[in-house]
């Protein structure tokens, strides 16, 4: 039992961090979810870890669980950039561009030059039929990309947000 606990503690501290943007560790989502739940067991008020858990749920296709975690954050901090962005992402997956834009534009007031947020805004405006705005936001997002990794991430994120199917495993 001690070995199992020690192994789980190692998973918690060895894994990378996540943001609303999906910069999640390379562990499978099921392991990430366990990792973040364990961290929250140790510190239930850690908003960053709650956000990480929400994004692991999001990318595993568990939108209801993701929404629950993000709502917890927004109850405590209604101006939390990552939670606002994350809620926008959930509404994009649900094809609700107006609700997505509501959250994403709140996040934009906090940090309007975030590459990840700009991609999410571009998808939301495109979904809403506002192609000109979507194109400008996407061009700005791509201008902020620092290399091939960012460009690949942008393309993958567009596919995830435009596809209503489950997102699958971590890559």
């Amino acid at each position: 039992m001690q070995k199992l606990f020690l192994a789980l503690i190692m998973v918690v501290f060895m894994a990378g961090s996540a943001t609303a943007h999906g910069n999640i560790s390379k562990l499978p989502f099921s392991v990430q979810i366990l990792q973040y739940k364990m961290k929250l067991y140790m510190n239930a008020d850690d908003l960053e870890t709650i956000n990480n858990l929400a994004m692991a749920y999001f990318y595993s296709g568990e939108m209801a669980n993701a929404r629950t975690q993000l709502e917890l954050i927004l109850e405590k901090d209604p101006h939390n950039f990552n939670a606002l962005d994350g809620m926008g992402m959930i509404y994009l997956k649900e094809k609700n561009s107006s609700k997505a834009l509501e959250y994403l534009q709140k996040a934009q007031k906090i940090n309007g030059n975030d590459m990840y947020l700009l991609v999410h805004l571009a998808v939301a405006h495109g979904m809403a039929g506002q192609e000109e705005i979507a194109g400008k936001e996407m061009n700005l997002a791509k201008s902020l990309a620092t290399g091939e990794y960012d460009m690949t991430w942008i393309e993958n994120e567009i596919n995830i947000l435009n596809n209503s199917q489950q997102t699958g495993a971590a890559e």
Side-chain angles (χ1 to χ4, degrees), residues 70-128:
L70 294 171
E71 287 171 347
L72 287 173
I73 297 169
L74 292 171
E75 283 175 14
K76 294 178 182 182
D77 179 6
H79 303 288
N80 184 293
F81 174 80
N82 287 331
L84 292 167
D85 187 28
M87 286 296 282
M89 293 167 64
I90 289 171
Y91 282 111
L92 285 173
K93 283 294 282 182
E94 295 173 349
K95 305 297 186 214
N96 186 338
S97 61
S98 63
K99 279 301 263 188
L101 282 168
E102 178 184 323
Y103 282 94
L104 296 171
Q105 288 171 339
K106 287 179 184 178
Q108 187 177 32
K109 289 178 184 174
I110 297 166
N111 182 3
N113 289 320
D114 182 88
M115 180 186 76
Y116 305 102
L117 174 66
L118 288 164
V119 170
H120 301 154
L121 281 163
V123 171
H125 280 113
M127 200 178 285

Side-chain angles (χ1 to χ4, degrees), residues 115 142 144-156:
M115 180 186 76
K142 289 180 178 181
L144 296 171
T146 59
E148 190 58 37
Y149 175 83
D150 285 347
M151 295 304 286
T152 299
W153 180 89
I154 288 170
E155 294 304 317
N156 288 339

Side-chain angles (χ1 to χ4, degrees), residues 7 9 18 23 32 38 46 68 74 85 93 121-122 134 156 165:
I9 293 297
N23 190 14
Q32 291 179 41
M38 287 196 56
D46 182 353
T68 298
L74 292 171
D85 187 28
K93 283 294 282 182
L121 281 163
N156 288 339
Q165 297 175 350

Side-chain angles (χ1 to χ4, degrees), residues 5-18:
F5 184 72
L6 181 59
L8 290 174
I9 293 297
M10 289 177 63
V11 167
V12 168
F13 291 109
M14 289 175 44
S17 65

Side-chain angles (χ1 to χ4, degrees), residues 13-80:
F13 291 109
M14 289 175 44
S17 65
T19 66
H21 310 114
N23 190 14
I24 306 179
S25 72
K26 299 220 182 256
L27 294 172
F29 293 116
S30 59
V31 175
Q32 291 179 41
I33 290 168
L34 175 62
Q35 159 198 339
Y36 297 129
K37 283 182 175 183
M38 287 196 56
K39 283 185 80 174
L40 288 169
Y41 179 77
M42 293 182 274
N43 181 3
D45 295 325
D46 182 353
L47 297 184
E48 182 178 343
T49 299
I50 295 170
N51 188 76
N52 293 345
L53 176 60
M55 288 300 96
Y57 279 136
F58 174 86
Y59 286 104
S60 67
E62 297 181 48
M63 296 304 136
N65 287 330
R67 182 188 317 275
T68 298
Q69 299 306 311
L70 294 171
E71 287 171 347
L72 287 173
I73 297 169
L74 292 171
E75 283 175 14
K76 294 178 182 182
D77 179 6
H79 303 288
N80 184 293

